[in-house]
Amino acid sequence: MPAFQRSLAAAAAACAVLLAVTGNAAAAEAEVIPHPWVVPPPNREPSAYFSNVKDGDVLDAPFVLKFGLSMRGLVPAGKTAGRAGHHHLLVNQPLPLDFNKPLPFTEKYIHFGKGQMEHVVDLPPGTYTFNLLLADQGHIPYFVFSRPVQITIAKQRKPAAGESVTGKPGVQILRPAPNEAVRGPIRVQFHASGFNVAHADAKVAGTGHFRLTLARAGAAPEVLDFRGGQTEVWLNPPKGEYQMKLDFVGHQDGEPVLAATPTQRMLVGAAPL
């Protein structure tokens, strides 16, 4: 068995023991939005994941690797707020066997201690294994991690002068797609590029959180405020046509809107468009 699979199996086994003892404490301590449409994800367990690549992809470098997080929120390193944490990207490194030790600072353990949701990968051609791992204020891992993905970099190009690999700062609804017809429960995934996400209780300057608005004819808009630093939500709304919009709201006085998506249409419980 490859080393990364042995490490994943060991971490999963340790997590299973912990959950058996605590009565699924990790899920119980997850950040929850108090709204009747919000439902837990199908696996009911916190996890990290890569939202824009899959195992076996072949890409040219540089490329953007986007991070997702289920049932937890983000908060910068050195700050404590609920069960929120910050991402770490492990390059050609298995998950740690000891989850009680802080992660090292090396080129193979990349820390995103500001609350970032992405990283520009610019590595020479070759095959790489990436793991994503959430850790607390002191870089000690939670049992919240991704499945490993193996990516092959076919070639490494030099960006043109003035070229931005990430594009302009902004926010996106990664899923569902505009005008998509869906059936509940629906996974709505957010992404921020050029902005740092944080639990509002941490009161970190220069950070913000997501706010989702769903509007339908004949009803007041439903506003979900993700003050716990969450970057996705599972919803089971009534059938109908919705106009959905995502804002990124700063933690300054008045909570200014720092970025927003265009309004997009979503049909719930309808036949495909």
Side-chain angles (χ1 to χ4, degrees):
M1 181 184 292
F4 77 85
Q5 291 182 344
R6 291 198 301 270
S7 178
L8 180 61
C15 188
V17 171
L18 175 68
L19 293 177
V21 172
T22 61
N24 205 11
E29 293 175 337
E31 299 288 351
V32 177
I33 299 295
H35 191 281
W37 294 359
V38 175
V39 296
N43 65 3
R44 296 178 179 267
E45 299 293 347
S47 64
Y49 57 88
F50 300 101
S51 60
N52 68 327
V53 298
K54 62 183 183 300
D55 191 49
D57 278 353
V58 178
L59 303 170
D60 293 342
F63 64 90
V64 178
L65 198 56
K66 297 181 179 181
F67 311 147
L69 185 60
S70 182
M71 293 187 71
R72 288 290 179 89
L74 292 177
V75 70
K79 300 292 182 178
T80 302
R83 298 288 287 174
H86 63 284
H87 287 299
H88 297 76
L89 179 65
L90 279 57
V91 182
N92 286 341
Q93 291 294 312
L95 293 171
L97 295 177
D98 188 347
F99 271 53
N100 294 310
K101 293 181 179 179
L103 295 170
F105 284 78
T106 74
E107 71 279 0
K108 294 185 177 181
Y109 293 85
I110 305 173
H111 295 237
F112 299 92
K114 295 180 180 180
Q116 306 98 309
M117 292 188 67
E118 65 183 20
H119 175 62
V120 175
V121 175
D122 193 10
L123 294 169
T127 299
Y128 299 87
T129 298
F130 297 106
N131 283 290
L132 193 61
L133 178 60
L134 193 75
D136 67 11
Q137 72 275 11
H139 312 286
I140 295 176
Y142 289 116
F143 283 96
V144 181
F145 47 83
S146 71
R147 292 181 178 274
V149 296
Q150 193 173 78
I151 304 294
T152 296
I153 296 177
K155 63 180 180 180
Q156 185 180 28
R157 67 180 183 87
K158 184 177 181 180
E163 178 185 351
S164 172
V165 178
T166 60
K168 295 181 180 179
V171 295
Q172 297 173 272
I173 298 175
L174 298 180
R175 182 179 179 184
N179 295 316
E180 186 174 353
V182 295
R183 296 182 183 276
I186 306 154
R187 188 182 204 176
V188 185
Q189 294 172 306
F190 320 141
H191 185 74
S193 180
F195 293 101
N196 299 325
V197 183
H199 196 301
D201 288 352
K203 303 184 186 304
V204 180
T207 65
H209 65 274
F210 292 106
R211 180 178 293 162
L212 182 68
T213 302
L214 297 101
R216 54 182 173 148
E222 301 286 341
V223 180
L224 285 73
D225 213 8
F226 298 90
R227 299 180 62 81
Q230 301 94 331
T231 62
E232 71 161 44
V233 66
W234 284 79
L235 299 175
N236 194 19
K239 294 181 180 180
E241 179 177 329
Y242 293 82
Q243 299 297 323
M244 185 164 55
K245 183 173 180 288
L246 182 68
D247 295 324
F248 190 75
V249 182
H251 290 146
Q252 304 95 311
D253 290 343
E255 297 193 334
V257 175
L258 305 178
T261 66
T263 300
Q264 69 180 56
R265 180 172 175 249
M266 176 180 69
L267 285 178
V268 177
L273 296 173

